[in-house]
Amino acid sequence: MQFEFDINKNYEIPLITLCNPDRAELASISNVSELHIRPRFNAVSEVTFDVCGIYFDSINSETK
């Protein structure tokens, strides 16, 4: 994951794409908060974050 900064050197919130293990895209999410990444080399890394409930509504309506 690459972290980017704007012209004023402020951290830009990344666009996150949720995928299945086979890399099939499920949804793209922006404006996440509380993003924490625990990289584990040669193992599955852990990523946690908070999202607004409106994203869950759009994901649920797409899968029905």
Side-chain angles (χ1 to χ4, degrees), residues 2-14:
Q2 293 182 342
F3 295 97
E4 297 185 14
F5 297 85
D6 64 12
I7 195 165
N8 296 320
K9 297 186 180 184
N10 294 319
Y11 172 71
E12 291 185 357
I13 298 172

Side-chain angles (χ1 to χ4, degrees), residues 8 32 44 49 52:
N8 296 320
V32 299
V44 176
F49 55 89
C52 180

Side-chain angles (χ1 to χ4, degrees), residues 18-36:
L18 295 177
C19 297
N20 281 326
D22 66 356
R23 298 187 182 188
E25 184 178 321
L26 297 174
S28 293
I29 301 174
S30 61
N31 294 325
V32 299
S33 60
E34 300 298 322
L35 177 63
H36 299 281

